Structures are given as C-alpha cells and as structure tokens.
Amino acid sequence: MKQALIIIDMQNGFLNPQSPLCIKGARATVPACARVIAACRRAGVPVIFVNRAYRADGSDVELTRRQVWAGGGKPLTPGSTGPISVENPPEFGAEETDYIIVKPRYSAFFQTSLDLLLRRLGVDTVILTGTTTPNCIRTTCYDAISLDYQAVVLEDCCSSNTEEIQRANMADMGNVGAEVCSSASFLRTLDGGSLAIRTAVEDDLDRCTEIERACFPREQAASREAIRDRIAVYGNHFLAGELDGQIIGYAMGPVIRQEYIADEMFGDTGCHDEAAPWQSVFSLAVHPDWQGRGYGRELLNALIAQARREGRKGVTLTCLERKAAYYAGFGFENRGVSQSVHGGAVWYDMTLIC
C-alpha cells in the first residue's frame, strides 16, 4: 500500500469567519490537520495541498457561488489578502517536498493533474482531509473510488457547517466503501507512531532537564530547580511530547499579563496568572536526537491551539534573529529587538494574535 495525504481547500477564504465563504467547522480542524501533515512528512508520505483559486474577473467561479463571491470581496483570487486570501494556515508550514495543485471545482480530481501525479508516485490509497465534507471531500472521495483508489477519510480533519451535515456525509462515504476513521487512529498506522502530547508532571523533571541542557547554552538554559518550579506552578502550560514512552521535547511558558516577556520572569513563577491574556513561550526544545522531524512544530502548534481554546489574546516569545523566519511560519510577527538580555544575547520579540 502506498498512501498520499490530500489537504483540500484549507485556506483563509474558507477558514476565516470574516470571509463570505467561511465554513463554520473548518477552523477547529486546523490542529488535527497540522498533526497529520507533520506526521506524514516524517513518514515520507506525499503531502498534496489541493487549493481553490479564482480568476480576478470571476470568469471561472461556479454559477451557484458567483453572486456571493462578487459581493463578498472576491475571495480566493490572486493577490487577495487577510481573511479572504488563498493562503493555507501557518500551522501547516511548507516543505519543498509538498505538492500544490489548484482545482477549479469541488473535486480534487476535476480538471486537475492529481490522478496523473498519484499514478506517477505509485499511490493506491488517498487520505482525505479538508473542507467541506459534503462538497469537496465527498466529491473527491467518490472520484477516487471511481478511479480505483482506496479512500480513507479522517473525520476530525474534515468539516461542515453543521454536525448533522457532517455525520450524514461521513455515513454516506462509509456506505460506498471509504474507510472513515479518526486522525489518531490513522497516525497509529504510520511507521514510528505519532507524537503524544501531554502536560508534564514531576516525574518528567530529569528528562526535561536533560533536554534543556542539550538544546541551550549554559547561560541560557533553565536550571533543574527552575524547571521543577515551572512544572509545579503552571504544569498545564508545560506540554511534553512523548514518543514510544520517552519524552523527546516540550513547549512551555506561563500565562502572563503583558505582551512581551521580561527577563525577571524566567526566575519568578509568580508572573503566571491563569486569567491573564498572553500565553508565553519560555522554551521550545526537542532533543538533538529527534530534531529535524517536525516535532517542534507539533509541540508549538499544540501550545498555540491550547491558547486559542482558552481564549487568550495571543502567544508571545523571544527568539534569536536566525530563528525569526521559523516562528513567522506559524504566524508570529516580529516586533523588533527585545529589551531582554537573557544569556547575553540579542533577542527579538515576536507575537501571534489568536
């Protein structure tokens, strides 16, 4: 069996509530989709983004959508920005190995090169994710089956405008032969398993200390005592990534009252306020033995997703200049040189608005 992951229409124009084409349940599926994308990249499963884009004059917009499209700012056209743009969520990142296909209608196969690409790659099984379930996912599923591909639909990575529509269409696809399953179930089938992300506990102290020392210079690394105190005071904001029973990295930081991190906060757990608006990131660390596989992205995405669930205003961090582009890929904006002099380095403040 050779699989390929297909991500359909996960673009700002369908995800942002300010867009006239927004699908109500789509934004909530971004974290699950991001985890699957990262895992497939690690496992060598081809990742194919199938996006929608329209000509600026609207000549290729569906008849049934043309009026809404024209009256809503002409979303998903070249050069469109903000909530109506063609861009994919920053949580997904981008890799040179990804494929991008633009489709003119609902099905990812309709008048596109997808079938040719899949056959050239030797793929016989398509993993379907994206939006919307009754239109783009369902038509792609039916076309895949018609073309003799095995179709797997990840239920929590797809979305509809209502739960009733979602359930009915999943049932229909299952009835015609598609495999409908959760992303967690799918991830367990990939070689090497998937990263389990959980809150850190006291028993994790030694391993977390080991990772901190392996990832940061001595003058920047948190001490064992500092890590112990952080787990004790704001352990629910200390997310550890576990692979095959071993912690391989973590993302953590207190919830703070101000937009930017101050140096005194690193040694004072009293800066944490569960009712405050900003989720900070004190450390994003992956043990060197496990770096370069997307685990850091999964951990930070999980912390960002938690901040959104909790209604935070945003996420804030400081980073070295060479890492600014990496965090920009998540949607963080560079606010300039920080007042921090932690470890004698020059830091930059970066914030992401939830």
Side-chain angles (χ1 to χ4, degrees):
M1 177 177 67
K2 177 66 181 292
Q3 300 173 318
L5 175 67
I6 302 180
I7 307 100
I8 302 174
D9 288 355
M10 291 295 285
Q11 302 162 264
N12 282 348
F14 293 113
L15 298 173
N16 196 298
Q18 298 178 45
S19 170
L21 304 182
C22 179
I23 306 303
K24 292 180 180 178
R27 178 70 225 181
T29 67
V30 168
C33 288
R35 287 192 292 272
V36 170
I37 291 167
C40 284
R41 286 173 178 151
R42 291 196 304 271
V45 174
V47 173
I48 304 172
F49 289 91
V50 182
N51 293 332
R52 184 70 66 94
Y54 295 123
R55 296 190 182 98
D57 64 3
S59 58
D60 58 351
V61 179
E62 299 95 322
L63 288 175
T64 55
R65 179 175 278 171
R66 189 169 296 171
Q67 184 175 358
V68 173
W69 176 85
K74 300 183 178 180
L76 303 172
T77 54
S80 57
T81 59
I84 62 172
S85 75
V86 297
E87 296 169 321
N88 299 116
E91 291 94 330
F92 294 174
E95 299 288 344
E96 292 183 358
T97 54
D98 297 342
Y99 298 90
I100 300 175
I101 291 175
V102 175
K103 66 182 177 71
R105 289 294 183 266
Y106 294 134
S107 173
F109 288 99
F110 185 82
Q111 294 187 6
T112 74
S113 61
L114 179 59
D115 184 42
L116 174 62
L117 173 62
L118 294 174
R119 295 189 190 282
R120 288 288 179 88
L121 294 174
V123 169
D124 56 24
T125 302
V126 291
I127 312 301
L128 301 181
T129 66
T131 196
T132 65
T133 300
N135 297 330
C136 303
I137 304 302
R138 180 168 169 158
T139 55
T140 301
C141 175
Y142 280 42
D143 282 351
I145 291 172
S146 297
L147 292 166
D148 287 333
Y149 293 100
Q150 297 291 326
V152 179
V153 184
L154 304 188
E155 189 169 11
D156 57 321
C157 291
C158 300
S159 55
S160 304
N161 275 317
T162 71
E163 287 297 322
E164 183 180 6
I165 292 172
Q166 180 81 350
R167 285 193 298 270
N169 282 273
M170 287 296 170
D172 282 346
M173 286 187 284
N175 288 337
V176 297
E179 178 185 347
V180 178
C181 66
S182 68
S183 61
S185 177
F186 166 70
L187 289 172
R188 285 194 293 269
T189 70
L190 292 179
D191 291 342
S194 61
L195 189 68
I197 299 177
R198 59 172 176 79
T199 55
V201 296
E202 185 179 355
D203 288 346
D204 301 323
L205 176 58
D206 288 341
R207 177 60 175 169
C208 290
T209 301
E210 178 186 352
I211 293 171
E212 181 84 3
R213 290 173 178 171
C215 292
F216 300 104
R218 180 179 299 177
E219 61 272 16
Q220 297 174 13
S223 67
R224 186 177 188 277
E225 292 73 22
I227 294 173
R228 179 196 62 207
D229 292 345
R230 293 170 184 181
I231 292 175
V233 175
Y234 46 85
N236 55 329
H237 300 277
F238 196 126
L239 302 185
E242 193 173 64
L243 196 64
D244 296 328
Q246 181 184 46
I247 292 177
I248 56 92
Y250 51 84
M252 54 76 65
V255 180
I256 59 178
R257 291 175 287 277
Q258 62 193 55
E259 183 173 355
Y260 302 129
I261 297 170
D263 282 351
E264 58 267 23
M265 294 178 181
F266 292 113
D268 179 15
T269 54
C271 68
H272 174 69
D273 178 357
E274 197 63 46
W278 292 94
Q279 171 66 60
S280 71
V281 184
F282 276 14
S283 290
L284 174 62
V286 175
H287 192 280
D289 290 347
W290 299 97
Q291 290 177 3
R293 308 187 191 189
Y295 293 128
R297 182 171 293 277
E298 284 193 68
L299 286 162
L300 184 53
N301 277 332
L303 195 61
I304 293 169
Q306 177 172 301
R308 287 179 171 141
R309 289 195 304 270
E310 294 173 349
R312 308 295 176 193
K313 182 176 182 178
V315 182
T316 180
L317 58 84
T318 60
C319 72
L320 300 174
E321 186 176 15
R322 60 184 173 81
K323 296 293 291 183
Y326 173 77
Y327 290 112
F330 292 84
F332 284 86
E333 294 188 12
N334 192 333
R335 305 299 190 187
V337 176
S338 171
Q339 293 185 6
S340 173
V341 292
H342 181 64
V346 176
W347 301 91
Y348 287 78
D349 289 318
M350 300 196 72
T351 57
L352 179 151
I353 304 301
C354 289

